[in-house]
Amino acid sequence: MKRYVIIFILVIASTFLIHAWLMSIGLFPIEASAQSVAVDQLFHVHLWLISFLFSLIMVTLVYSLIFFHRRKGETGDGAYLTGNSTLEITWTAIPLMAVLVLAYAGARTLGAIQVIDPTAVQVKVTAGQWYWQYAYPDYGVTSTDLYLPVNLQIDLQMTSVDVIHSFWVPEFRVKQDIVPGRTVELRVTPSLIGEYKVRCSELCGLRHAYMEGLVEVVSQANFEKWIAQQQSAAPPSPELRGQQLASSYGCVNCHSTDGSAKTGPTWLRLYNSSVKLSDGTTVTADDNYLKTSIINPNSQVVSGFSSNVMPDFSTVLDQTMVESLVAYIKTLK
Ligand code: CUA
């Protein structure tokens, strides 16, 4: 009996120590959404549980190693035990209860974070290799950064133009896969003004690790101001628009604008230069060549570069966007 008391005390002490250590190593980013509170509550239950289970197993193991190991001169076998119904029922019933309680808590949390506010601000999210794009249909505004008003529910309607991506802002805690061909919904209520990052958390190709974007949570007044600014901004020149597209659609991740070597050919001094293709022919990089290369890159692969590397932009970029990109490329002399 005395041994059980000692083990019990050691397990409790160890549980608190392990839990304190887990809390000290910065597992949690700050909570920046209403949903993050409920999610973190679940995490805290789990942290206590794993601290306890780890302690229960390790304390019992180490205690047994110290006090019950084979002594010098001992040669006999240990006692042979055949079943213990009480123990077996206990170690089945307790985990079963634990799993049921956690399932209930998980379902409740999921319900709580998916509550729909009919007045939510709608944002259409488009994910693609390798960029994020946002549209605010209520205001007729599009943006490559995600601006959100604080303390209002945001209804993110998300689509992908190519492969599976995943929308994840760690500070918001909620995360949602975006499957091509479907529109998926994610509800989030930012609760803390600040600058965050959206990361893609689904391996989506070569530049997956760099598929990040700015998320700016601002006061409701500043959000209105930003919207008004976007609405009144004069439409940019084709060259400037092209530069923005090159950045937001990730073109410049593979095509340098300063002549440096990247996955694709550089855009510096590309316009009107002669380009050697992998089939041995030489073409002039005129408007036509550039447009075709953007929409159908595998039709004229440049010598020294691989085909089938560039994502398909034919359904993403319309005629005007392609022309803007060409206008921008022309400026890179
Ligand atoms: Cu998109 Cu990873």
Side-chain angles (χ1 to χ4, degrees):
M1 192 63 205
K2 201 177 129 216
R3 288 195 193 284
Y4 287 113
V5 175
I6 292 170
I7 289 175
F8 176 78
I9 293 168
L10 287 175
V11 167
I12 297 302
S14 164
T15 301
F16 277 88
L17 277 176
I18 297 288
H19 183 266
W21 175 70
L22 284 173
M23 291 306 292
S24 73
I25 55 175
L27 290 174
F28 296 90
I30 47 166
E31 292 176 345
S33 76
Q35 290 75 9
S36 62
V37 180
V39 173
D40 279 3
Q41 274 169 1
L42 266 193
F43 268 120
H44 287 299
V45 172
H46 276 96
L47 284 186
W48 277 112
L49 255 179
I50 60 175
S51 306
F52 171 73
L53 283 175
F54 179 81
S55 303
L56 182 69
I57 293 161
M58 294 314 287
V59 165
T60 316
L61 186 77
V62 173
Y63 188 92
S64 305
L65 277 175
I66 294 171
F67 292 99
F68 302 128
H69 69 270
R70 188 192 284 251
R71 312 276 160 195
K72 227 182 195 156
E74 254 182 341
T75 52
D77 284 336
Y80 185 66
L81 303 174
T82 52
N84 183 329
S85 300
T86 318
L87 194 59
E88 283 160 17
I89 289 169
T90 312
W91 80 38
T92 307
I94 292 180
L96 180 68
M97 289 303 294
V99 168
L100 287 176
V101 168
L102 288 176
Y104 174 73
R108 260 188 73 118
T109 307
L110 192 61
I113 64 177
Q114 287 181 334
V115 169
I116 290 173
D117 178 352
T119 63
V121 178
Q122 206 189 68
V123 181
K124 287 190 187 307
V125 179
T126 307
Q129 283 169 319
W130 290 274
Y131 60 88
W132 298 101
Q133 282 260 305
Y134 310 98
Y136 299 75
D138 299 342
Y139 305 98
V141 164
T142 58
S143 171
T144 54
D145 297 328
L146 183 56
Y147 271 76
L148 300 175
V150 74
N151 293 333
L152 290 181
Q153 190 181 77
I154 314 298
D155 171 13
L156 298 166
Q157 295 286 334
M158 308 194 286
T159 51
S160 164
V161 296
D162 37 50
V163 298
I164 302 178
H165 301 276
S166 187
F167 181 95
W168 183 39
V169 179
E171 290 82 0
F172 292 168
R173 296 300 190 274
V174 287
K175 172 153 95 169
Q176 176 63 53
D177 275 9
I178 310 171
V179 182
R182 275 193 223 165
T183 301
V184 290
E185 184 185 275
L186 183 68
R187 302 262 167 177
V188 66
T189 313
S191 59
L192 191 66
I193 289 174
E195 226 175 67
Y196 311 99
K197 248 183 196 176
V198 54
R199 293 162 205 278
C200 176
S201 66
E202 185 70 56
L203 183 61
C204 58
L206 193 63
R207 306 227 19 122
H208 153 73
Y210 302 95
M211 193 171 156
E212 295 182 338
L214 181 72
V215 179
E216 190 91 51
V217 176
V218 295
S219 68
Q220 290 172 24
N222 281 348
F223 179 72
E224 298 296 334
K225 223 185 268 173
W226 177 77
I227 287 287
Q229 255 172 26
Q230 299 299 305
Q231 285 168 335
S232 65
S237 65
E239 289 81 5
L240 184 62
R241 176 98 179 102
Q243 185 175 11
Q244 290 165 349
L245 289 168
S247 145
S248 59
Y249 284 100
C251 310
V252 288
N253 291 336
C254 293
H255 300 281
S256 74
T257 54
D258 60 1
S260 59
K262 284 191 172 179
T263 314
T266 183
W267 283 354
L268 184 69
R269 287 186 284 275
L270 172 60
Y271 185 64
N272 266 341
S273 66
S274 21
V275 176
K276 199 161 176 261
L277 299 184
S278 55
D279 63 6
T281 58
T282 301
V283 293
T284 303
D286 54 11
D287 287 60
N288 244 335
Y289 165 85
L290 292 176
K291 283 181 198 169
T292 315
S293 295
I294 293 169
I295 293 305
N296 188 5
N298 293 323
S299 66
Q300 36 188 8
V301 175
V302 179
S303 173
F305 293 91
S306 326
S307 57
N308 293 316
V309 170
M310 187 161 139
D312 181 6
F313 285 107
S314 58
T315 55
V316 181
L317 301 172
D318 61 27
Q319 190 66 26
T320 328
M321 291 158 108
V322 172
E323 276 163 12
S324 300
L325 279 167
V326 172
Y328 171 55
I329 293 171
K330 284 182 187 174
T331 66
L332 298 167
K333 291 175 197 146

